[in-house]
Amino acid sequence: METIYTEKHKLRDAKTELCGGELVEPFERPSRAEYVLDRVRETDLGPVSDPDDFGMDPILAIHDTEFVAFLKTAPARWKEAGFNGEAIPTTWVGRRMSHIRPNHVEGQLGYYALAGETSLTEGTWEAAYASAQVALTGAARIRAGAGAVFSLCRPPGHHATADMYGGYCFFNNAAISAQHFLDQGAKRVAILDVDFHHGNGTQDIFYDRSDVFFISLHGDPLETFPYHLGHAEETGSGAGTGFNLNFPMPPDTPFDVWQAALHKGLARIAEYKPDVLIISLGVDTFETDPISFFKLKSDDFLTMGADIASAGLPTHFIMEGGYDVDEIGVNAVNVLQGFER
Ligand code: Q9C
Ligand code: ZN
């Protein structure tokens, strides 16, 4: 399987993450992608290629123009406003407050952030742009006939909505890839999100549409991030009714329980008959992930890959989360090797 990768991810290198009331070294750090790339090379998974440049249009097919401009300029504007640290929101649009966008950068952070942990820094926009280009290049490979491709995206994307960032995500790489497939002639795309966290951004983007079926297996939002979306009752709206499927699961969920949900999701995907399957591939379901609570073991990721392969669909793997950095390479590449066996 071919891997798409660019070093430009290193431009996303925040010094701080707001965690437990402290500013800590971010869990989502550059070494994550390096460990995955090392493992891709070590296992001879296949060639590693640079992304092509598809420009802004496919990003703007998903994201709001003003939001994209905000991400680009916010770090410099934050500095100009006289703030010394990295840009972190301190306000939000609380219930019954106004959705009028403020002028001041501090207010705009509250307006565009869906969570407060993710600092905006110089270089973030460029890295997020490059990450989206990695996903678009992966999509082009599938379109050209590849059975599977691994887009080693960083920063991740599945928490980002059309006009909100947070949860370490800025541009929604999976959504951008799905829309690109549709714009190139696909009729139906399924996105299966196996990251520990609910893919709230992807769900929100496609919630009222039937041409993208979103399925997510994740920690119950009653207990974990993103807290405010991802319940089983969320099944889509309008034309999208029936095309959103959530499997929230409790703390300490082991692989056999998780796998039963995977099989249910795959059965629904088979009925849907998509042209392409996109996997939002987070490996933060791992038993020693520092911010998650599932109990998957490294070998389980091989089984996961084999189960995904049984769908028999062209499959676009897009890297999302995974924060046990020492094991992220083994776990992510196990899914890809399990798929190929
Ligand atoms: N104090 C992805 O996996 N909450 N994002 C962190 C640590 C945010 C995860 C809590 C988790 C975001 C792509
Ligand atoms: Zn995650």
Side-chain angles (χ1 to χ4, degrees):
M1 185 183 314
E2 184 181 5
T3 297
I4 316 295
Y5 167 86
T6 170
E7 295 208 329
K8 289 201 178 133
H9 77 83
K10 293 175 186 165
L11 293 165
R12 169 65 190 167
D13 191 9
K15 300 287 163 274
T16 62
E17 168 177 339
L18 182 56
C19 177
E22 295 179 287
L23 291 175
V24 304
E25 184 195 351
F27 291 96
E28 203 296 290
R29 59 187 72 154
S31 61
R32 294 179 58 251
E34 297 308 295
Y35 278 104
V36 177
L37 182 69
D38 287 351
R39 184 66 181 167
V40 163
R41 294 226 158 98
E42 208 173 281
T43 56
D44 285 322
L45 184 73
V48 177
S49 313
D50 282 321
D52 299 321
D53 191 351
F54 295 77
M56 280 309 299
D57 285 355
I59 296 175
L60 293 173
I62 291 295
H63 291 286
D64 173 75
T65 307
E66 305 290 313
F67 168 69
V68 173
F70 161 80
L71 286 180
K72 196 169 193 169
T73 56
R77 293 173 59 213
W78 183 261
K79 233 184 210 170
E80 279 160 30
F83 300 138
N84 295 322
E86 292 182 332
I88 287 195
T90 54
T91 69
W92 57 94
V93 185
R95 278 183 287 281
R96 294 173 299 286
M97 291 177 85
S98 168
H99 286 244
I100 295 171
R101 188 179 68 160
N103 295 328
H104 195 284
V105 65
E106 186 179 39
Q108 289 189 357
L109 280 159
Y111 182 81
Y112 285 121
L114 62 85
E117 77 291 295
T118 302
S119 304
L120 280 183
T121 61
E122 303 278 350
T124 294
W125 189 91
E126 212 182 323
Y129 177 89
S131 191
Q133 301 304 325
V134 166
L136 286 161
T137 303
R141 294 293 201 275
I142 300 275
R143 193 173 165 253
V149 64
F150 176 39
S151 291
L152 212 182
C153 291
R154 181 183 174 271
H158 74 152
H159 296 306
T161 73
D163 60 0
M164 287 183 283
Y165 76 97
Y168 318 152
C169 300
F170 309 96
F171 294 151
N172 192 314
N173 304 310
I176 290 167
S177 168
Q179 188 62 50
H180 194 62
F181 282 123
L182 294 167
D183 291 343
Q184 305 285 321
K187 290 280 170 275
R188 285 179 304 283
V189 177
I191 304 178
L192 172 63
D193 190 324
V194 300
D195 185 281
F196 169 78
H197 303 95
H198 177 245
N200 64 283
T202 317
Q203 168 171 314
D204 183 56
I205 288 165
F206 298 117
Y207 203 62
D208 60 1
R209 288 168 52 171
S210 60
D211 55 349
V212 178
F213 182 21
F214 180 68
I215 307 96
S216 182
L217 281 61
H218 50 268
D220 190 328
L222 292 173
E223 305 299 337
T224 191
F225 189 89
Y227 291 114
H228 314 296
L229 208 65
H231 301 284
E233 295 75 13
E234 298 156 10
T235 56
S237 68
T241 302
F243 299 101
N244 194 88
L245 183 58
N246 285 328
F247 294 96
M249 286 172 274
D252 300 321
T253 294
F255 183 64
D256 60 333
V257 173
W258 190 94
Q259 192 187 25
L262 175 66
H263 290 165
K264 284 186 195 162
L266 287 170
R268 290 285 304 275
I269 289 169
E271 287 168 23
Y272 183 67
K273 296 190 175 52
D275 301 299
V276 186
L277 175 60
I278 296 173
I279 306 293
S280 265
L281 178 59
V283 293
D284 36 12
T285 49
F286 187 50
E287 55 182 347
T288 55
D289 192 275
I291 64 168
S292 307
F293 59 53
F294 286 171
K295 293 287 170 257
L296 273 61
K297 300 178 187 304
S298 286
D299 282 349
D300 297 332
F301 291 97
L302 289 165
T303 310
M304 184 191 301
D307 281 352
I308 291 168
S310 72
L313 292 164
T315 305
H316 185 188
F317 292 95
I318 296 184
M319 193 72 215
E320 301 281 2
Y323 307 99
D324 184 343
V325 175
D326 290 340
E327 301 302 327
I328 186 176
V330 169
N331 292 339
V333 176
N334 272 2
V335 177
L336 309 174
Q337 289 190 304
F339 180 92
E340 284 194 323
R341 273 180 204 163

